Amino acid sequence: MPDRLVAIDVQHLSHSFGEHRALVDVNFQVHAGSLHGFVGPNGAGKTTTLKVICTLLKPDRGRVRVFSHNVVADARAVRKRIGFMPDHFSMYRQMTVGEYLDFFGAAYGLSTADRNRVINDVLVLTDMEGRRDHLISGLSRGMQQRVSLARVLVNDPDLLLLDEPASGLDPRARIELMEILRELRRMGKTVFISSHILSELAELCDSVTIIDRGTIKFSGSMDELALGADAHPTWVLLLATPDDSAAERLRAIAGVLEVLPRNDRPEYRITVETNNGGNALLKGILDAGLAVAAFSAGRRHLNEAFLDLTEQGVR
Amino acid sequence: MQRLFARIGFPLLAKELTEQAAQRRTYVIRVLYALALFVGAWILFQDILGTGRQGAFGVLGQGREMFVAIVTLEFIGIYLFVPAMSAGVIAIEKERNSLSTLLLTRLSPMTIVLEKFLGRLVPTFTFLLLSLPLIAFTYTLGGVTQGEFWAAAILLVLSGMQVAALAVMCSSFARTAAGAFIGTYLLGVFVHFLLPPCSGWYQFQRISRDASAFSGFTIVSLFTTCGFLAAARVFLVERAFLEPRNVLLEIFKGVDRFFTDLNKVTGGIELVKDRETLPEDKPITWRETRKKSLGTVRYLFRVLAAVETPLLFILVAAAGGVTNMRVSVAGNLLYVLWVLAIALVAVKATSVIASEKSSQTWDLLRVLPLSGREILMQKLSGVRRLIGVLSIPFLTIFAFEWYWAASLSTYGEHTNFVYLAASAASVYLYLGVATWGSFWIGVKLRSQTRAIVASLAVVSLVAALPALAGMPGPHHVDPQSADTAFLLWGIFSPSYFVSLLVTRQFHGWIVAGNLAFYALVWLGLRTFCLRRADRLLDRAEALGATG
C-alpha cells in the first residue's frame, strides 16, 4: 500500500515492562480515512500500543510510523497530526468548557480567531454549543466525554486515537458517541478506537485488529474477519424442505469437516477443509439430492471471532 | 499471622499489617528513623561524654542526661514520623474509592476506625522499641530511676497513641491523603505546643519537678485519644463520599464575597482586577497564573497583604524600641518568613507536575506539540510569580534593618550594602534552588502526597543539618576564633548562612562562597531539568532513536 494511504504503520513492535512482555512482534497497518477497531482482552497490550503510537512510550524494538513520521525520531510532527483521548477522564475541572478547549487550542498553536471558530465547530459537532460557559466539574460523565472528544478535535487532527471512549457511558451517550465517530469518518478522519464493546465496533468499523497477550491475532477488514480468510471457510445452507437425513448426507460430501444444524429451521453451517469457493460444495449438495432454498458464505460476528482468536482466562 | 488475625476476627487489621509488610516504604521509614535516632544519640552522647568526664568512672551517674536526650529524640520521632505514616490511613481508601466497599461489609464504622488505628500503632511501637538498646545503655550508667524509666515509657506510648489517633481523625475527615497529612501536622502543632497539658513531651519535662503531672497527663492523653477516635468514627460515615474541592480556592472565594459586600460601602473600588481572559500564546502559563489559587494576581495580592500588614505593624512597633530588641524582632520575623516561604514554594513547585499526575491530565500535556523545555518553563511560571510576591516581605525586613543600621552607624556603609545585597540574593537563590529541587521530586514521585512529604522532608533536613551535626548557632561562636567547621557550614548550609546574616556576622569568604555555591546549585539544577525536560516528562523521543 502506498505510504500516503497508510495512517498507522506498526512493524515488529515489541515492548516490555521489566520481565513482563507487553507487546511481542506486533505488526499491523491502518488505512488513512478508515475507522479501525482495536480489540483485545484486559492486559492484552492495547493501551501500551496506543501509548507508543501517540509518542508517550518508546518501543523497545520495532518501528512505528504515523503518516510516515517515525513516532520517536519525529515525535513533534506526529503530535501535530494526532488527537489522543486516554482511557480516563483527563479534565481541568475548575475550567469552563470554553476555557478548556481554548487552552488546548492555544497549546496547538492556533491563533485566537482560529480557536474561536474551531471551538464553535467542535461544540456544534459534539452537540455542546449551549455549554460553553459551564464549569467542567458540574458536567455529567457523558457530557465530560463529549468535552474530551471536542478537545481531541480542536487541532483538527488527521488521526484520532481513542482509548475506551465509550466506557462508563449510558446507552444513549454511547449511541450518540458512535454517531459522532461516523460523522468524523465522513469528514475524512482516521479513527483508531480501542474498545470492549464489540457489538458497536462491529457495526462501526471498516477494519479491526485483535490483540491477545501482546501478539496480533488478526488484522484486516471486517469482511476478511467475517469470512474467516485465514481459517477453514464456513457456508450456510437453507433447505427448501426439512430433511432428517440431510446432516448425514452433507457430512458425506468430500472436503466437509463439520455440519452444524439449527433446531428451529432446516439451516446448516458447513465448515469445509479448503477455501476454493462454494462451487464444489454446492455441486456436492445438489448431487446429494437436497433441495436448496439459499446458500451463502457464513459470516463470523466480531464477538465470535474474538472468542475464537483470544485465549480464555483472566489476565 | 494473617490467618491468626482472621481467625480472631480482625480482618482489616490483618490486611493493614500484610500491606505494610509488603511495602518497601515501611522498611525505608523504619531504617531512616533508626538512623536518625542512633546518629542523633551518637552526636548527643559525644557531646555529653566528651565534656571532660571521660574515663570508666567519670561517666558513672551521667545516664540521666543521656536518658533525657534519648527520650526527647523519641518524642521528636513520634511527632514527625507517626503523622506521616498514619495520615493516609483512611483518606487513601477514599481516593481509591474502596471506603464504600469497606462500609458495606459487616465491619462497623467504629471497628474500621479501631482496626485502622491499631494497624498504625504496631509500627509506632516498633519505633519505640528501636530505642531500647540506647535506653538500656543510659540506664547502666546510672542516674535514672526505675520510676523515671517507666514514666517515660508510658508517656511515649500514650503520645504515640494520641498522635496516631489524631492522624486517623484527620484522615477520616479529609478527602485526600495530602489534606489529611497537612491537617495532622497543623492540628498536632496546635495540640502539642499551644495546649501543653495535652503534650507528652511537655509533661515529660515536668515529671522531675511535679510527679502529679504524670497521672494528669495519663488521663488527658487517654481522653484526647478516645475523643479523636470518636470524632474519626463520626467523620468516617458523614464524610465518606466527598466531591473534590479546592479548599484554598473556596477560602479565597469566601474572602472575595466578603470584599464584594464591603464594596457596596466603598462604591465598588477594585484595587486588583483579574481580567477574565483566555490564553494568548502560552496556555500553560495562563492556566498556572489565572486558574490556580496561588497564581492569580488578586489572590497573591491577598496573601501578600496578609503577610505584609502584620509584618509592617510589628516592624514599625519595634522601630520605637532599643537596638537589641529591633534586631531580635527582625531576626525572628525573618526566620518565620523563611519557614513560610520555603514551605509554600516547595509545596507549589512539587505540585506543578504531581497534581497533573493525580488528576490524570499528565498524558494530555505530554502529547502536546510543545518542547519539554517550553512545558516546564510555563508550568513553573506560577511558582516564579509566587517567589516574586514572597520576596516583598523579605525586602521590607531587609530595608528596615538597613535603615536602622545606617542610622546607628554601627556598621559601615559598605557592610550595610553587602548585608542588603547578600540577603536579597539569598532569598532568590534559595527559593530558586527549592523550586527546582522540589519540582524534580514532584516529577519523580507518582503520588502528590508522597512528593510533598518528600520535598518538605528534604528541605527540613537541609535546614536542620547544622543542628543535627551539633554545630552551635552563629551567636554562640566567637568570630575571632571561628574554625573550619564554622566556615564550611557557613558556605554550604543555607540555614546557617541565614543565621549568620540575621546575627550580622559577616565573613567575606562565607558570603561569597555561599552565594556562589548556591548560584551554581541553582544553575546546575535548572540546566539539568531543562536539558532533560523531555526525559523528565517521560516522552518517547528523549529515550533514544529506536522506533
Side-chain angles (χ1 to χ4, degrees), chain A:
Chain A
M1 196 190 306
D3 270 2
R4 65 187 168 78
L5 296 179
V6 179
I8 304 172
D9 181 21
V10 178
Q11 300 290 331
H12 307 293
L13 170 64
S14 295
H15 192 81
S16 299
F17 295 105
E19 294 293 303
H20 173 64
R21 297 176 77 192
L23 299 174
V24 185
D25 198 31
V26 167
N27 295 280
F28 67 89
Q29 285 189 332
V30 175
H31 298 196
S34 69
L35 216 156
H36 189 95
F38 192 50
V39 298
N42 289 332
K46 300 190 295 294
T47 299
T48 306
T49 310
L50 263 167
K51 286 203 163 182
V52 171
I53 295 170
C54 70
T55 75
L56 289 179
L57 204 59
K58 185 203 156 227
D60 293 342
R61 270 197 304 280
R63 189 190 65 177
V64 178
R65 294 194 303 168
V66 172
F67 295 113
S68 306
H69 299 293
N70 189 297
V71 294
V72 175
D74 212 358
R76 210 159 170 184
V78 172
R79 286 182 195 129
K80 282 182 183 165
R81 298 193 67 175
I82 62 169
F84 171 55
M85 188 199 278
D87 60 346
H88 41 71
F89 281 127
S90 306
M91 295 286 179
Y92 294 126
R93 296 170 58 87
Q94 297 299 330
M95 286 186 185
T96 63
V97 173
E99 285 174 341
Y100 181 73
L101 297 176
D102 208 82
F103 171 85
F104 282 98
Y108 278 98
L110 300 183
S111 69
T112 312
D114 283 347
R115 260 149 43 200
N116 204 24
R117 182 181 49 76
V118 168
I119 289 169
N120 281 335
D121 290 348
V122 296
L123 286 175
V124 169
L125 182 70
T126 52
D127 202 14
M128 292 283 291
E129 61 266 51
R131 300 188 187 262
R132 191 172 183 147
D133 296 323
H134 286 211
L135 261 187
I136 289 174
S137 58
L139 297 179
S140 69
R141 198 179 168 90
M143 286 293 171
Q144 288 194 18
Q145 195 71 318
R146 282 166 186 245
V147 177
S148 214
L149 193 60
R151 191 262 307 155
V152 170
L153 295 169
V154 153
N155 62 317
D156 194 20
D158 297 311
L159 169 64
L160 279 82
L161 300 160
L162 314 178
D163 195 359
E164 301 288 354
S167 71
L169 296 187
D170 63 36
R172 173 176 286 277
R174 209 182 286 167
I175 291 165
E176 286 169 354
L177 176 74
M178 295 302 157
E179 266 314 306
I180 294 171
L181 294 181
R182 280 196 190 95
E183 181 59 31
L184 289 170
R185 179 176 49 186
R186 280 194 283 275
M187 290 162 66
K189 307 282 182 202
T190 309
V191 182
F192 185 78
I193 175 171
S194 149
S195 178
H196 279 132
I197 304 162
L198 300 180
S199 53
E200 280 158 7
L201 278 187
E203 286 175 26
L204 192 71
C205 294
D206 308 308
S207 52
V208 68
T209 294
I210 298 177
I211 186 170
D212 186 27
R213 295 175 196 247
T215 57
I216 298 297
K217 299 296 181 184
F218 175 85
S219 189
S221 69
M222 291 304 286
D223 279 344
E224 284 169 350
L225 181 82
L227 295 172
D230 55 353
H232 299 297
T234 302
W235 296 88
V236 179
L237 168 70
L238 179 66
L239 294 180
T241 51
D243 187 332
D244 290 344
S245 63
E248 206 55 46
R249 284 148 75 184
L250 286 170
R251 283 190 190 102
I253 299 170
V256 170
L257 293 176
E258 190 180 33
V259 175
L260 293 174
R262 275 183 67 145
N263 292 332
D264 53 340
R265 55 183 175 163
E267 187 181 294
Y268 300 85
R269 282 186 81 86
I270 307 163
T271 307
V272 293
E273 199 165 10
T274 51
N275 192 5
N276 51 7
N279 288 348
L281 176 63
L282 185 58
K283 188 172 179 302
I285 293 167
L286 293 172
D287 288 348
L290 295 165
V292 177
F295 180 71
S296 62
R299 296 178 72 85
R300 279 195 301 180
H301 190 271
L302 183 55
N303 283 338
E304 294 168 309
F306 183 79
L307 291 174
D308 287 347
L309 295 170
T310 58
E311 290 176 40
Q312 287 184 343
V314 178
R315 277 146 273 249

